[in-house]
Amino acid sequence: MKKVLATSQAPAAIGPYSQAIRADQFVFVSGQIPIDPATGEFAGDDIVSQTRQSLTNIKNILASDGLTMADVVKTTVLLKNIADFGAMNEVYASFFEGDCPARAAFEVAAIPKGALVEIEAIAYKN
């Protein structure tokens, strides 16, 4: 079974992709840049506010299918500057309690719209 997930509580896709796809018991959340869906603008210009918004977008997309951040099993974090890892990590830790998901983090040459961070997630729905 494949189901497209979409919510107005996260920014609409800005290209030919879905906010998330549920395939059987897995939910694949597309990379979220720090756009505030209420304004259509970045939540801020620093890594802390941008990380918080990217993760909030993921949280809201998951909620649209009855999941929480506790259901996340894997994330990938793309950073414009790996020196921002520590500050990103502090915000990231506040979104996960108990067992944290597996994660990879990379510095990349560029992120869409000039964002400082983009985060994707995979969740498991029992």
Side-chain angles (χ1 to χ4, degrees):
M1 179 181 96
K2 177 180 167 183
K3 176 184 173 187
V4 173
L5 304 181
T7 177
S8 61
Q9 299 301 306
I14 57 174
Y17 63 90
S18 300
Q19 286 177 330
I21 296 288
R22 180 160 48 96
D24 294 321
Q25 294 178 290
F26 288 95
V27 174
F28 300 88
V29 180
S30 293
Q32 295 297 304
I33 59 175
I35 294 175
D36 180 336
T39 65
E41 302 294 327
F42 284 161
D45 59 2
D46 62 281
I47 192 64
V48 169
S49 59
Q50 289 197 12
T51 300
R52 185 175 298 111
Q53 186 64 53
S54 291
L55 289 166
T56 297
N57 292 342
I58 290 169
K59 182 177 178 180
N60 290 338
I61 291 167
L62 292 171
S64 77
D65 198 41
L67 287 96
T68 70
M69 296 299 271
D71 296 307
V72 175
V73 296
K74 171 74 167 74
T75 62
T76 303
V77 179
L78 307 176
L79 294 164
K80 183 175 180 182
N81 185 342
I82 200 69
D84 287 335
F85 181 86
M88 174 280 298
N89 203 44
E90 285 186 36
V91 176
Y92 182 97
S94 72
F95 278 79
F96 297 100
E97 295 179 11
D99 296 332
C100 294
R103 179 179 75 187
F106 304 94
E107 178 179 271
V108 296
I111 298 173
K113 296 191 171 277
L116 300 177
V117 64
E118 178 175 359
I119 305 172
E120 68 175 9
I122 300 170
Y124 181 77
K125 184 175 184 170
N126 286 325

